[in-house]
Amino acid sequence: MLTVKTTQAVNPEYAKTLDTAGLRDKFLSDDLFTEGEIRLNYTHYDRMIVGGAVPNGASLTLDHVAECGTPSILDRREMGVVNIGEAGTVSAAGTDYALNRGDVLYLPKGAGAVTFSGKGRFYITSAPAHTALAAKLIKIEDAACVKLGAPETANERTIYQFIHPLVMESCQLVLGYTQLHDGSIWNTMPAHTHDRRMEAYCYFNLGDDSRVFHFMGDPAETRHLVAKNEDVVVSPPWSIHCGAGTTNYTFIWAMAGDNVDYTDMDFVAMKDLR
């Protein structure tokens, strides 16, 4: 029922030596959403955990994770859960939360075991937390909304901010998702890095034959990963993270690190990309 992979952090010099298989092993998870299972990737980038829970109409409980070193996963952590499937329920600390597709649930430090049930496909993110805050279910109409880009540059998109200072308080986890409009394929371009925090991307709303080319690496030594629906890419602080799809798509972005300032980033000029 529970599978945990550990991903060690790597530096940009080592990353330059990796072939396609090596890059995918270190930075991409392509099997987190498996029916009847919880699968996690415990990363050494700011100790972020990313994962998927697919109860498939039954119930799955996430509690003890040996890699965390605590009796229960949320003893010293906070968690963000996004439902990218049909309606489902997440239960924690004696409360049931009904999540429709696109809803986001924040669970604080000390919330105890987490149970996933119903037909939902639950994307899990978790980062260390220093204090216990309030749990919060955030519907899309309650998210902060930012519209960026334009059709002529193929990057017209809407950014929904959920676990974000404009919406609620968290310890270090920041989470939302970006929807590309019809005819738009580019996200987060011009590219940027943010040395003070890591980021993870979960791509979804892609058809079986659609792909996203996720660009990563040092700005002067770029690489790419080909991602399918429900693939998750972990982006180190030193790496750019942007992408282009064969069609429009949605991606969940989750960050952990020194601060929760969404605008804290270092842009890379187009002329400096290689």
Side-chain angles (χ1 to χ4, degrees):
M1 185 191 74
L2 175 64
T3 303
V4 184
K5 172 187 175 181
T6 297
T7 299
Q8 299 291 337
V10 300
N11 62 52
E13 288 74 24
Y14 174 66
K16 292 176 185 178
T17 70
L18 297 174
D19 61 10
T20 298
L23 287 173
R24 293 178 71 86
D25 179 64
K26 296 296 184 185
F27 301 107
L28 184 142
S29 295
D30 60 2
D31 62 351
L32 292 179
F33 294 89
T34 301
E35 290 186 357
E37 296 186 28
I38 298 173
R39 294 192 175 188
L40 305 177
N41 183 356
Y42 181 100
T43 83
H44 283 262
Y45 297 104
D46 290 294
R47 305 289 172 172
M48 173 74 89
I49 292 175
V50 294
V54 187
N56 196 30
S59 293
L60 296 169
T61 297
L62 179 59
D63 192 6
H64 176 65
V65 176
E67 288 75 6
C68 296
T70 54
S72 188
I73 184 172
L74 293 182
D75 285 349
R76 294 178 59 83
R77 286 179 161 271
E78 59 188 349
M79 179 180 290
V81 179
V82 187
N83 184 10
I84 61 173
E86 298 178 37
T89 301
V90 179
S91 304
T95 302
D96 298 334
Y97 302 91
L99 275 69
N100 294 319
R101 183 177 176 86
D103 290 346
V104 176
L105 175 65
Y106 172 81
L107 294 174
K109 172 180 179 284
V114 184
T115 298
F116 306 90
S117 57
K119 292 290 187 178
R121 300 176 72 83
F122 300 101
Y123 177 54
I124 300 165
T125 63
S126 177
H130 64 273
T131 192
L133 300 168
K136 185 168 185 176
L137 175 61
I138 312 142
K139 302 288 187 177
I140 191 167
E141 58 267 24
D142 299 320
C145 180
V146 180
K147 295 184 182 296
L148 294 176
E152 56 267 28
T153 48
N155 69 346
E156 187 179 17
R157 61 202 189 274
T158 301
I159 300 170
Y160 296 95
Q161 300 165 333
F162 290 83
I163 303 174
H164 186 282
L166 293 176
V167 179
M168 57 164 289
E169 183 181 6
S170 65
C171 292
Q172 65 165 318
L173 186 63
V174 179
L175 180 148
Y177 52 78
T178 300
Q179 291 181 339
L180 277 292
H181 295 197
D182 288 346
S184 289
I185 61 168
W186 279 102
N187 76 75
T188 323
M189 183 63 78
H192 63 265
T193 63
H194 31 66
D195 195 55
R196 291 154 294 281
R197 61 190 181 198
M198 59 78 66
E199 187 162 5
Y201 275 30
C202 175
Y203 291 101
F204 71 108
N205 281 345
L206 284 163
D208 290 342
D209 294 327
S210 298
R211 295 293 185 270
V212 173
F213 287 74
H214 176 98
F215 295 98
M216 60 162 295
D218 184 283
E221 191 87 21
T222 59
R223 299 290 188 269
H224 75 270
L225 297 165
V226 180
K228 67 180 188 313
N229 190 50
E230 298 183 347
D231 280 356
V232 177
V233 178
V234 173
S235 182
W238 49 263
S239 175
I240 64 166
H241 38 274
C242 58
T246 58
T247 183
N248 59 312
Y249 52 93
T250 304
F251 65 93
I252 301 165
W253 40 266
M255 296 176 280
D258 267 346
N259 63 52
V260 293
D261 180 2
Y262 180 80
T263 64
D264 180 11
M265 59 188 74
D266 302 307
F267 284 100
V268 179
M270 296 296 289
K271 65 182 178 63
D272 294 328
L273 287 174
R274 295 291 184 270

